[in-house]
Amino acid sequence: MVSAFFSSAYIAISTLFLVRVIGLSAGIVGLLGSLGLIGALLGAMLARRLSAKVGAARLLVSVAVVQGLAYLLFPLTGPGWQLAWYVVGGILTSTCVIIVIVVQVSFQQTLCPDHLLGRMNATMNFLYWGAAPLGSLLAGVLASGVGLRPMLWVTAGGMLLAAVPLLASPLRTMVELPTGEPDPAEPTNQ
């Protein structure tokens, strides 16, 4: 929910930032966004391989931190060569989003009984997307007062904050996510 809140805040103000502060045309804004979304393709290609190589639990924690750090690149964007910060930030964040979706949804569907999958997906989507309108609203209100670039710093800080629950959870010491299957090494109570 924290990442949905702050990523929606970022989305609400990013185009305004590029147009009003940086002075870009609509075509250049679209081009930068398209270049950044190359990361979504990378994430789709890498998610399974990275999960197998480093472990799904480790990958989720690492990607949350990388995504938070990548958001720090957006407020560095400026004219000329400094547009590269926006593109690199977009590539990194879209890569991370897709990896998280693949790993997290696979984990949820592994643990959830088949007859409850619809309810689980609906609940997760409600919790995630329920925070989005609030983030967008807050970004608009705060950006009106503090400015667009400072608000981008706030969204970056919020995305870093979104990694804290994962870093504080048992996931940080795990390699793989639980499968729901009993551990053969643990004694059973029979």
Side-chain angles (χ1 to χ4, degrees):
M1 287 185 348
V2 175
S3 64
F5 182 88
F6 285 102
S7 66
S8 293
Y10 162 78
I11 290 167
I13 62 170
S14 61
T15 301
L16 288 172
F17 170 75
L18 292 172
V19 171
R20 292 183 181 173
V21 176
I22 309 302
L24 301 179
S25 68
I28 298 298
V29 171
L31 176 64
L32 292 178
S34 296
L35 291 173
L37 288 173
I38 290 170
L41 298 172
L42 290 172
M45 291 188 304
L46 295 174
R48 182 184 290 173
R49 287 186 216 157
L50 288 174
S51 184
K53 185 170 183 130
V54 301
R58 252 189 218 149
L59 184 61
L60 272 180
V61 174
S62 301
V63 166
V65 172
V66 170
Q67 184 176 16
L69 292 171
Y71 268 82
L72 292 170
L73 300 178
F74 294 126
L76 299 175
T77 302
W81 71 268
Q82 292 174 323
L83 293 175
W85 293 119
Y86 189 86
V87 173
V88 172
I91 290 170
L92 289 171
T93 58
S94 63
T95 301
C96 291
V97 165
I98 298 302
I99 290 173
V100 166
I101 289 170
V102 169
V103 173
Q104 182 178 323
V105 170
S106 297
F107 171 61
Q108 290 166 346
Q109 292 179 346
T110 298
L111 287 185
C112 186
D114 289 345
H115 70 282
L116 295 175
L117 280 173
R119 291 180 194 169
M120 184 268 307
N121 284 328
T123 302
M124 294 305 296
N125 281 324
F126 173 77
L127 291 172
Y128 186 83
W129 292 110
L134 300 173
S136 298
L137 179 63
L138 181 67
V141 170
L142 289 178
S144 297
V146 301
L148 292 164
R149 190 180 306 267
M151 191 58 208
L152 285 177
W153 287 111
V154 170
T155 63
M159 289 304 290
L160 278 170
L161 182 66
V164 171
L166 291 175
L167 290 168
S169 78
L171 282 179
R172 76 173 156 60
T173 60
M174 297 169 69
V175 175
E176 291 296 338
L177 294 169
T179 62
E181 300 293 322
D183 186 350
E186 288 187 26
T188 57
N189 295 331
Q190 294 184 16

